[in-house]
Amino acid sequence: MTTRRYEVLLPAEFNDGRLVMDSCPRCVPDSLKEVGDTFGAFTFRPDAALGNWTADGRRYQDRLFALVVDVDDTAEHRAWIAHFKTHLLQRFEQLEIYVTSYLIEVH
């Protein structure tokens, strides 16, 4: 079976600048629990990466946490991740959340 890695960038701040951990202290833990309950394993990097992007003429500066999960590359898993992203957009009140994926070889 082919393995696919999904990398999800979770924001430390809402788009309006409020800190996620202050306004929604369960947002990150609940997201990690969902992935762990579904796939049984994940990697979470709490060291924030910095991002910068523009939408509709407004500049956003992000602090982002990386959530990584390696799973069998199946249509069922791709559909679950797509649904998860939709849920994350609402949970974190985001205009966008990046989810990237690529095939990997595990030795």
Side-chain angles (χ1 to χ4, degrees):
M1 176 64 70
T2 304
T3 302
R4 180 169 291 276
R5 174 167 287 178
Y6 290 95
E7 296 181 357
V8 182
L9 297 178
L10 298 176
E13 299 171 3
F14 294 105
N15 287 141
D16 64 7
R18 289 176 296 135
L19 293 177
V20 168
M21 293 308 289
D22 289 345
S23 299
C24 183
R26 296 293 321 154
C27 281
V28 172
D30 287 351
S31 300
L32 299 179
K33 183 176 180 342
E34 285 180 55
V35 171
D37 288 351
T38 301
F39 298 116
F42 63 84
T43 300
F44 179 69
R45 287 182 277 189
D47 53 318
L50 302 178
N52 193 313
W53 57 285
T54 303
D56 297 325
R58 181 175 172 195
R59 182 169 297 260
Y60 296 89
Q61 294 183 353
D62 287 337
R63 289 185 314 121
L64 304 158
F65 305 116
L67 169 59
V68 179
V69 61
D70 298 339
V71 296
D72 291 338
D73 185 26
T74 66
E76 179 183 356
H77 289 160
R78 287 190 296 276
W80 190 93
I81 293 289
H83 176 75
F84 182 59
K85 176 181 174 171
T86 300
H87 187 68
L88 292 176
L89 286 167
Q90 294 172 353
R91 177 180 282 164
F92 288 91
E93 302 173 22
Q94 295 295 295
L95 299 173
E96 183 59 84
I97 287 183
Y98 267 48
V99 177
T100 56
S101 76
Y102 48 91
L103 298 176
I104 62 170
E105 288 185 35
V106 179
H107 300 278

